[in-house]
Amino acid sequence: EPEVTQTPSHQVTQMGQEVILRCVPISNHLYFYWYRQILGQKVEFLVSFYNNEISEKSEIFDDQFSVERPDGSNFTLKIRSTKLEDSAMYFCASKSLDGPYEQYFGPGTRLTVT
Amino acid sequence: AQSVTQLDSHVSVSEGTPVLLRCNYSSSYSPSLFWYVQHPNKGLQLLLKYTSAATLVKGINGFEAEFKKSETSFHLTKPSAHMSDAAEYFCVVSGTPNFGNEKLTFGTGTRLTIIP
């Protein structure tokens, strides 16, 4: 069964450093998402992406964040200058244009900012 | 606007007894509703979904949920709990049914513990 994959599974970085989290969505999906889950809190929407542009973003997704689909398979989330409060599990999800309409989630990347 | 309230942060049941995880929703549109499960150190797995078809929805691993519009509820049930059901469960609402690039809004989660 096709699945969403994410790399790395765990990333440790120092405050102020740039990080790129990578996702490979399911191959025929056209809608892409990033969510995050701070330890002990609920999953929060960050951004949605379709047709090579952002469709919607939350207030969390400020100028420090960006997303990109650099080629036909990868979908990336970049944090330009990480803060301690960016430490969280980051989930990528994708959805088909034609159905089924649920979002399929990857296993997540745990980002630890020290 | 849309929101989800999971009424219990933690539920404990004995193995073999029924499970009930409660969820109430609020949505400006006719909602799509989902239950996702997260096992320790794992990703989010879809258990079941409601998208304006049958109000009683059956999912994987024997779980089911009933959409009750009058009560704005979407409670998750299972007749007989198994040790492997121990996990965090999220009730999730989507604002527009099936179409477009809609975001998911998650509840705060219910941790299900199974007592041997």
Side-chain angles (χ1 to χ4, degrees):
Chain A
E1 184 176 330
E3 58 183 20
V4 177
T5 59
Q6 291 184 242
T7 54
S9 57
H10 191 189
Q11 172 110 34
V12 181
T13 189
Q14 290 190 324
M15 197 167 49
Q17 295 296 304
E18 174 183 287
V19 294
I20 298 176
L21 309 183
R22 302 181 192 281
C23 169
V24 178
I26 294 173
S27 63
N28 63 341
H29 286 187
L30 295 179
Y31 296 111
F32 312 114
Y33 309 83
W34 283 101
Y35 294 82
R36 79 171 186 189
Q37 184 182 30
I38 295 172
L39 188 64
Q41 299 185 24
K42 66 178 178 180
V43 178
E44 302 171 290
F45 168 78
L46 289 178
V47 66
S48 58
F49 189 87
Y50 171 71
N51 200 26
N52 282 320
E53 61 183 26
I54 291 173
S55 302
E56 185 177 356
K57 60 184 180 180
S58 73
E59 59 193 24
I60 302 167
F61 195 89
D62 61 22
D63 292 344
Q64 293 300 314
F65 290 87
S66 63
V67 288
E68 192 178 34
R69 188 157 162 81
D71 52 41
S73 60
N74 289 285
F75 180 52
T76 62
L77 174 69
K78 181 192 291 186
I79 309 175
R80 288 191 183 82
S81 178
T82 50
K83 307 183 187 75
L84 293 176
E85 54 264 37
D86 294 327
S87 294
M89 180 74 90
Y90 288 81
F91 292 104
C92 172
S94 68
K95 187 172 73 120
S96 169
L97 178 64
D98 300 318
Y101 297 107
E102 63 261 29
Q103 294 180 23
Y104 290 80
F105 283 80
T109 293
R110 180 165 296 286
L111 176 65
T112 302
V113 182
T114 61
Chain B
Q2 57 201 38
S3 66
V4 169
T5 301
Q6 292 186 245
L7 299 165
D8 306 292
S9 60
H10 192 189
V11 170
S12 293
V13 301
S14 297
E15 189 176 17
T17 65
V19 174
L20 169 64
L21 305 184
R22 298 182 294 166
C23 171
N24 287 103
Y25 71 90
S26 172
S27 177
S28 303
Y29 306 95
S30 296
S32 292
L33 292 158
F34 310 83
W35 278 96
Y36 280 85
V37 61
Q38 184 181 31
H39 287 93
N41 301 313
K42 300 288 187 184
L44 295 157
Q45 181 185 19
L46 180 70
L47 271 182
L48 50 79
K49 63 181 178 182
Y50 165 78
T51 54
S52 74
T55 56
L56 182 62
V57 180
K58 294 188 185 299
I60 62 172
N61 301 333
F63 285 94
E64 61 182 40
E66 186 171 8
F67 174 72
K68 292 187 177 180
K69 186 176 181 179
S70 60
E71 298 176 11
T72 60
S73 69
F74 190 58
H75 300 334
L76 181 70
T77 60
K78 182 174 180 177
S80 177
H82 191 272
M83 293 302 295
S84 61
D85 295 329
E88 188 91 15
Y89 292 78
F90 295 96
C91 184
V92 180
V93 65
S94 171
T96 53
N98 302 332
F99 302 106
N101 216 357
E102 72 280 5
K103 66 181 181 184
L104 299 181
T105 299
F106 282 72
T108 50
T110 298
R111 180 167 299 279
L112 178 63
T113 299
I114 310 299
I115 303 165

